[in-house]
Amino acid sequence: VMPRHASRITLKIKEVKGVRLHHVSEKDAIAAGARSPLREVGFRLDAFLRALAKKHRNATWKRNPWLWAVTFERL
């Protein structure tokens, strides 16, 4: 564990909730940091889903798994 005085950024957890994959929105994907060169609606959500599938092979749209949605506050 890094001592607080040595950290450059300190985060406080504001909220933790379980969300089904089908309920993830474009706004949620943007908040999670999904990036797409195309700014049109839907492309960042698509980028989020592709990144999730690449990292977690069983997190498919068909299975609709539960995800943790964690909201942070910068201190």
Side-chain angles (χ1 to χ4, degrees):
V1 175
M2 179 182 295
R4 186 170 182 162
H5 72 274
S7 71
R8 293 185 298 174
I9 184 171
T10 304
L11 302 174
K12 176 182 176 184
I13 296 174
K14 289 178 64 178
E15 181 182 19
V16 178
K17 62 182 177 179
V19 179
R20 296 298 291 235
L21 181 58
H22 288 185
H23 292 111
V24 174
S25 68
E26 179 85 0
K27 184 179 174 182
D28 297 329
I30 291 168
R35 300 195 187 279
S36 173
L38 304 172
R39 300 274 185 215
E40 297 171 26
V41 174
F43 283 98
R44 292 214 181 145
L45 180 57
D46 185 57
F48 173 80
L49 294 173
R50 280 187 276 114
L52 185 68
K54 185 177 180 181
K55 187 171 183 176
H56 304 283
R57 300 263 183 232
N58 63 345
T60 63
W61 186 258
K62 185 177 180 180
R63 291 193 60 209
N64 192 24
W66 284 93
L67 307 173
W68 289 108
V70 183
T71 305
F72 297 97
E73 175 183 351
R74 191 176 193 169
L75 298 177

